[in-house]
Amino acid sequence: MTFEELVSPENIFRAWAEFRRGKLGKLDVLKFERYLEDNVFELHQELYSRTYRHQPYQTFHIYDPKHRIISKATVRDRLAHHLVFDYLHAIFDKTFIYHSYSSRPEKGTHLAVRNLATALRQVSHNYTRPAYALKCDIRKFFYSVSHQKLFRIIKNRLHDQAASWLVSEIIESFPNSSKSSGGGDCLGLPIGNLTSQIFANIYLNELDKFVTQTLSTRHYFRYADDFIMVHDDAAYLQDLILPIGRFLKQELSLELHPKKVILRKLSQGVDFLGYVVLPHYTVLRTRTKRRMFKKLWQKQLEVLNSAWDSERFNQSVQSYLGTLQHCQGFKLAERLRHEFSDWQSKY
């Protein structure tokens, strides 16, 4: 796709159709759509002439369960994010390893956990031998991504100077000057941006290639900045920690979280992406279970106080029931149905 095609009004209208799904109740989206044609053609002209400048983010705090700072861009900028996401996805997705599961079509947490369980079964020879998993997490990943290194990785595959300009504009829209790494480089990707998802996959694809190609690790799975490796030898996995940590620091300016590098035996249960994989079955993590019920109790109270829509509440219940279909969750699903499904009839 040429830059002219990327920023064409037709492509912006297409991106708008994707962007607006599920957002029609949002005031800022309704305001943008009220003068949609004018807004789209104005954005097109700014992008085409390279006069487009990203506007400041609106930040807010969430606790789910840990504290995160979410950065929300304007509707106009989020529409530009959609264009860049689709453009980069078409170029980079085919270069990613199969076992990269975040923000990719037909992937996601459920497939990641299912394939992890399959690998553990294979390595343990149908649970007849020991198997181990090394789970790692990157310390403050989204706040630590080097803008210079990210752009250099992307630019190596882009052959369009105008497209490179737009990608750079999006990356540099979030200057985290308080965490500057020196030499004029800024750090950080805004949590909540669509583009941050593709940027994260592009950045950590360098780690994926190092682990699977240089270290020749066969059973390796990554979802965003969480990754896990499986082997029948605990010492082999232990020996991976040092070279992975060194690679992250030297090549990507990242570091492993010292408290979240965990080596577990399959018989103890392997915790990954909200589930715990055990021999013969998978269960929901206890903390995930508690958070699920806590959220539903809070939302139920908001419905009773007319602060939340009952239809949306039932959709949340059905979503959680869907999650429980991916593990040994029959009894938990029954409890959830008993406490929350069609609960309005009780009042």
Side-chain angles (χ1 to χ4, degrees):
M1 178 185 288
T2 66
F3 181 73
E4 289 72 20
E5 292 170 331
L6 171 64
V7 302
S8 68
E10 294 80 8
N11 198 40
I12 298 175
F13 278 115
R14 178 203 57 78
W16 172 258
E18 292 180 1
F19 170 80
R20 70 194 290 271
R21 289 176 192 157
K23 300 185 182 73
L24 290 182
K26 306 292 184 180
L27 184 60
D28 54 353
V29 176
L30 291 172
K31 285 182 177 179
F32 190 92
E33 189 165 48
R34 186 177 180 182
Y35 303 102
L36 180 60
E37 288 192 6
D38 290 343
N39 287 327
V40 166
F41 282 102
E42 181 181 357
L43 179 60
H44 157 71
Q45 185 57 41
E46 289 183 12
L47 291 171
Y48 185 78
S49 62
R50 300 200 213 179
T51 58
Y52 166 81
R53 296 295 180 267
H54 199 287
Q55 296 176 8
Y57 290 89
Q58 175 187 357
T59 60
F60 55 95
H61 301 256
I62 64 168
Y63 299 86
D64 186 29
K66 62 183 179 181
H67 175 225
R68 293 182 187 275
I69 301 174
I70 303 299
S71 300
K72 182 181 178 182
T74 65
V75 172
R76 162 186 170 275
D77 291 325
R78 281 184 282 160
L79 188 51
H81 296 173
H82 264 266
L83 298 174
V84 170
F85 180 93
D86 292 344
Y87 180 76
L88 293 178
H89 181 272
I91 295 171
F92 283 94
D93 190 73
K94 55 180 172 282
T95 71
F96 298 156
I97 65 169
Y98 174 81
H99 292 298
S100 168
Y101 290 92
S102 176
S103 305
R104 299 182 67 195
E106 300 179 8
K107 292 298 177 73
T109 57
H110 297 141
L111 182 62
V113 172
R114 192 158 63 244
N115 286 343
L116 171 64
T118 299
L120 286 163
R121 187 176 69 247
Q122 291 173 348
V123 169
S124 66
H125 294 263
N126 285 325
Y127 316 117
T128 61
R129 300 180 190 178
Y132 303 86
L134 175 66
K135 181 185 173 186
C136 301
D137 185 280
I138 297 172
R139 185 205 288 266
K140 296 183 178 179
F141 168 70
F142 282 99
Y143 297 108
S144 304
V145 171
S146 160
H147 288 193
Q148 286 184 0
K149 291 183 177 182
L150 171 62
F151 185 64
R152 186 163 59 245
I153 293 168
I154 294 174
K155 202 170 186 301
N156 284 339
R157 292 192 67 88
L158 294 190
H159 307 293
D160 188 313
Q161 187 177 358
S164 295
W165 159 78
L166 179 55
V167 170
S168 177
E169 179 67 26
I170 300 297
I171 292 173
E172 297 301 331
S173 69
F174 190 72
N176 194 355
S177 57
S178 64
K179 291 183 176 291
S180 175
S181 62
D185 188 13
C186 286
L187 306 180
L189 297 175
I191 297 175
N193 260 24
L194 178 65
T195 46
S196 293
Q197 299 171 15
I198 188 73
F199 289 155
N201 277 340
I202 291 170
Y203 204 66
L204 290 178
N205 188 47
E206 301 299 303
L207 171 66
D208 299 342
K209 291 186 293 186
F210 175 74
V211 173
T212 58
Q213 297 175 16
T214 305
L215 299 181
S216 301
T217 301
R218 181 183 175 189
H219 299 294
Y220 166 84
F221 308 84
R222 182 179 63 79
Y223 186 95
D225 59 331
D226 290 328
F227 57 99
I228 193 165
M229 292 145 285
V230 173
H231 203 272
D232 60 4
D233 184 353
Y236 170 85
L237 294 174
Q238 190 74 40
D239 289 343
L240 293 177
I241 299 173
L242 188 60
I244 289 174
R246 187 185 303 121
F247 176 86
L248 286 170
K249 187 170 186 178
Q250 294 176 353
E251 302 299 325
L252 299 176
S253 301
L254 301 172
E255 59 179 303
L256 292 172
H257 196 303
K259 295 182 180 179
K260 295 183 180 180
V261 176
I262 302 168
L263 183 62
R264 296 276 289 183
K265 195 173 182 179
L266 172 58
S267 58
Q268 297 174 298
V270 176
D271 187 332
F272 190 52
L273 303 178
Y275 295 90
V276 178
V277 180
L278 290 149
H280 303 289
Y281 62 97
T282 298
V283 297
L284 204 63
R285 182 197 293 161
T286 300
R287 194 163 66 244
T288 305
K289 227 183 297 185
R290 289 173 182 161
R291 193 160 68 245
M292 176 179 71
F293 277 93
K294 182 180 178 181
K295 279 186 176 182
L296 287 175
W297 286 325
Q298 288 173 342
K299 289 177 180 179
Q300 187 182 66
L301 186 60
E302 289 173 11
V303 173
L304 287 171
N305 292 329
S306 301
W308 226 65
D309 184 82
S310 60
E311 184 176 346
R312 287 172 61 203
F313 176 81
N314 281 330
Q315 289 173 354
S316 294
V317 173
Q318 294 305 315
S319 176
Y320 283 123
L321 288 172
T323 297
L324 293 172
Q325 290 179 355
H326 295 274
C327 65
Q328 193 82 6
F330 177 77
K331 290 184 178 179
L332 195 58
E334 286 297 299
R335 178 188 164 193
L336 193 148
R337 288 191 188 95
H338 177 72
E339 291 197 28
F340 299 110
S341 286
D342 300 322
W343 62 275
Q344 298 98 319
S345 60
K346 302 175 185 176
Y347 297 93

